[in-house]
Amino acid sequence: MKADPQYAPEHLALEAVRRLGPEARSWAEHAREEDPGTTADALAQQAVRRFTSHARLSGAVSGAAGLPGAVVDVGVLAWTQSRMVLHIAAAYGIDPVDPERATDLLVLQKVHKIAETARVALGVAAGRERANRLFADSTGKPLSGVMVKLGVKLAQMAGVRAAKRMFAKVVPGAAVILGSWVNSAATKDLARRTQAQYSAA
């Protein structure tokens, strides 16, 4: 992602489906074996509670760490939220390993408004991943500038859009509480959109 920060959300979505999709599918299968009577909604709620707690904890840690922690946290939050979306998909019997889930991630996280533009961007990012193995296209770029761009892109993906919400994480004396609140609120918003989409599928 540092080599191609412009497409950071797309790279993260592709990698999330590759790495986290199998985990989500196994989790849902195991949960159904343990309790065959459990409903899809109940399974989805388990995922929401689990990953909202993870997001809240990382927000509190980032608040304690100040601005550097807040910048790192948006990447952690985007990854945590991607895990949640894939687990919710699996809860509703939708294959979390299907490449189309990367499109879902980008639309649900409001990186793209419609699936078609998300698919095009994913195709570009996948092509750039392959090209990057042959060409080092990040040379000559100042690392600090790349990291700022990367942080902004991942913040957008994680739902931390307003600057005041980002800087709420570094308010003296309240950063831990506010960091936890920002992450929790963004993750709950995403959970509502995800459940609405997959429960209707």
Side-chain angles (χ1 to χ4, degrees):
M1 289 190 293
K2 284 191 292 185
D4 193 21
Q6 179 183 355
Y7 287 94
E10 288 79 11
H11 290 303
L12 190 146
L14 289 166
E15 194 65 15
V17 172
R18 282 193 290 258
R19 292 195 185 195
L20 304 178
E23 169 199 296
R25 184 164 59 188
S26 295
W27 165 79
E29 289 172 352
H30 183 68
R32 289 191 184 96
E33 285 172 6
E34 283 195 333
D35 183 5
T38 192
T39 66
D41 286 334
L43 269 185
Q45 281 300 345
Q46 285 181 32
V48 171
R49 285 193 297 271
R50 174 182 171 189
F51 293 110
T52 300
S53 294
H54 289 185
R56 191 179 296 119
L57 178 60
S58 73
V61 171
S62 75
L67 187 57
V71 172
V72 170
D73 180 53
V74 292
V76 174
L77 180 58
W79 190 249
T80 298
Q81 290 179 346
S82 296
R83 288 182 75 193
M84 180 184 72
V85 169
L86 294 172
H87 277 68
I88 292 173
Y92 286 106
I94 295 163
D95 187 3
V97 180
D98 190 312
E100 188 63 14
R101 297 296 79 76
T103 301
D104 293 349
L105 283 171
L106 295 175
V107 175
L108 286 165
Q109 291 173 305
K110 297 185 176 180
V111 176
H112 294 282
K113 290 183 179 179
I114 60 172
E116 191 55 42
T117 56
R119 289 188 194 102
V120 170
L122 286 164
V124 172
R128 288 162 78 108
E129 278 183 14
R130 289 189 290 272
N132 201 39
R133 297 189 191 109
L134 301 174
F135 306 104
D137 62 1
S138 62
T139 55
K141 295 180 184 176
L143 185 59
S144 58
V146 169
M147 292 305 288
V148 168
K149 189 170 184 179
L150 179 59
V152 168
K153 281 294 198 178
L154 293 178
Q156 178 194 11
M157 186 178 193
V160 184
R161 289 175 180 78
K164 63 183 180 182
R165 292 178 77 185
M166 184 69 176
F167 287 106
K169 295 186 175 193
V170 292
V171 174
V176 171
I177 294 170
L178 290 172
S180 177
W181 172 78
V182 167
N183 282 14
S184 177
T187 304
K188 285 178 181 177
D189 285 347
L190 175 61
R192 281 192 287 271
R193 292 194 299 275
T194 304
Q195 285 184 272
Q197 175 168 317
Y198 288 141
S199 63

